[in-house]
Amino acid sequence: MSDAQLSSGERESRLLDAFVQMADTLVDDYDVVDVLHELVSQCVQLFDAAAAGILMSDQRGGLQMLASSTEQAAMLELYQIQTSEGPCWDCVHSGEPVLVADLTEAADRWPKFVPQALNEGFAAVHAIPMRLRHETIGALNLFGCTPEPMHEQDVRVAQALADTATIGILQERAIHRSEILTEQLQGALVNRVTIEQAKGVLAQAGNLDMDQAFQALRSYGRRRSTRLTEVARQLTTGEIRPTTVLNDHHHSNS
């Protein structure tokens, strides 16, 4: 893959635009899939590739095809997932670039993928890992129609673009995980307040201390296979009368 079709000035300008757009993912609200489609589009232009595609980890140990510049690239990415072989598959699992200048020489390595890729008109393929330190979350695949190597400088640039996009994606995932944890913590705090309120209701109605009130609340829920927080909510909203819980508790202790 060469940059012969781009002048030095055009290439520099496109490189700058590409990095600016990838960097924007670190500060702006963005859609991950849209960012990845922009990445494959930029790479096709920058590296004079025939097509490009991206496989990403779904955080459950599997891979998903999230972006492609053509339907042929999309089908080949999906084929790699189905057959568990191919440059992108190897790249994700090794965390290292997989550079194949001539696919015909890789027939033994990928006996299923190579014939399929050749049939689609591709002769070379280069996979670049999307990684941050020791975490690899996907791979960028660049397809060529002629058998030729990818220049070392192009490999470095492609890796830098992939790394920049990866930082943004991992940040989004971290924020999402943080939001979930925050919601869970907030929910736990709200439930705790509700339980304390329910204990107070029972303590006052039954002349109990708070520990006794909690035991009454808990045993009532257990005998009915109802969550403690739900019993507390029903009690504080009046759906259950305090005497109902207290009488149940007295009967269970008699």
Side-chain angles (χ1 to χ4, degrees):
M1 300 178 188
S2 69
D3 54 16
Q5 295 181 3
L6 293 177
S7 69
S8 176
E10 288 174 333
R11 179 175 173 78
E12 182 177 342
S13 177
R14 288 191 178 181
L15 275 172
L16 179 60
D17 288 343
F19 278 106
V20 168
Q21 290 187 30
M22 289 299 104
D24 282 344
T25 66
L26 301 178
V27 293
D28 292 339
D29 186 23
Y30 67 96
D31 179 86
V32 169
V33 174
D34 187 45
V35 168
L36 296 179
H37 276 286
E38 181 63 30
L39 177 59
V40 296
S41 177
Q42 292 281 2
C43 286
V44 166
Q45 296 180 34
L46 286 169
F47 308 117
D48 193 25
I54 290 176
L55 289 184
M56 294 283 293
S57 167
D58 61 9
Q59 296 180 291
R60 293 187 299 272
L63 294 177
Q64 302 290 335
M65 192 280 295
L66 285 192
S68 65
S69 62
T70 67
E71 280 301 309
Q72 289 88 346
M75 294 303 295
L76 283 176
E77 299 290 20
L78 291 172
Y79 192 70
Q80 292 184 76
I81 296 173
Q82 293 169 358
T83 60
S84 300
E85 70 165 51
C88 220
W89 176 274
D90 285 0
C91 182
V92 171
H93 289 89
S94 70
E96 298 295 331
V98 177
L99 309 175
V100 182
D102 188 347
L103 272 173
T104 60
E105 297 178 358
D108 292 338
R109 182 176 182 180
W110 304 309
K112 298 176 183 176
F113 172 80
V114 169
Q116 191 74 14
L118 292 174
N119 188 56
E120 294 292 344
F122 298 122
V125 62
H126 308 294
I128 307 297
M130 299 184 68
R131 67 192 179 194
L132 180 63
R133 300 184 183 92
H134 300 299
E135 182 174 5
T136 301
I137 64 171
L140 165 68
N141 241 12
L142 302 173
F143 299 93
C145 290
T146 57
E148 59 179 310
M150 188 173 184
H151 298 311
E152 184 178 346
Q153 181 181 7
D154 284 349
V155 174
R156 290 199 300 268
V157 172
Q159 185 67 72
L161 280 169
D163 290 346
T164 304
T166 301
I167 291 171
I169 293 167
L170 287 175
Q171 175 182 267
E172 190 274 340
R173 288 185 177 182
I175 291 172
H176 183 62
R177 286 195 294 266
S178 177
E179 289 174 347
I180 290 175
L181 290 174
T182 299
E183 290 173 2
Q184 290 174 338
L185 177 58
Q186 185 60 37
L189 292 173
V190 170
N191 289 339
R192 188 68 218 170
V193 170
T194 303
I195 291 170
E196 291 300 319
Q197 291 174 340
K199 285 164 58 178
V201 170
L202 289 179
Q204 183 176 11
N207 194 26
L208 305 173
D209 62 33
M210 295 299 276
D211 286 340
Q212 291 171 326
F214 180 72
Q215 291 302 322
L217 190 69
R218 191 179 186 189
S219 61
Y220 183 89
R222 284 188 169 182
R223 281 192 293 277
R224 287 160 182 76
S225 299
T226 304
R227 294 177 62 184
L228 177 64
T229 53
E230 177 60 19
V231 176
R233 185 195 66 78
Q234 292 176 0
L235 188 61
T236 56
T237 58
E239 295 178 41
I240 300 176
R241 295 176 61 83
T243 52
T244 301
V245 177
L246 293 170
N247 289 337
D248 182 85
H249 183 59
H250 292 323
H251 288 317
S252 67
N253 291 333
S254 61

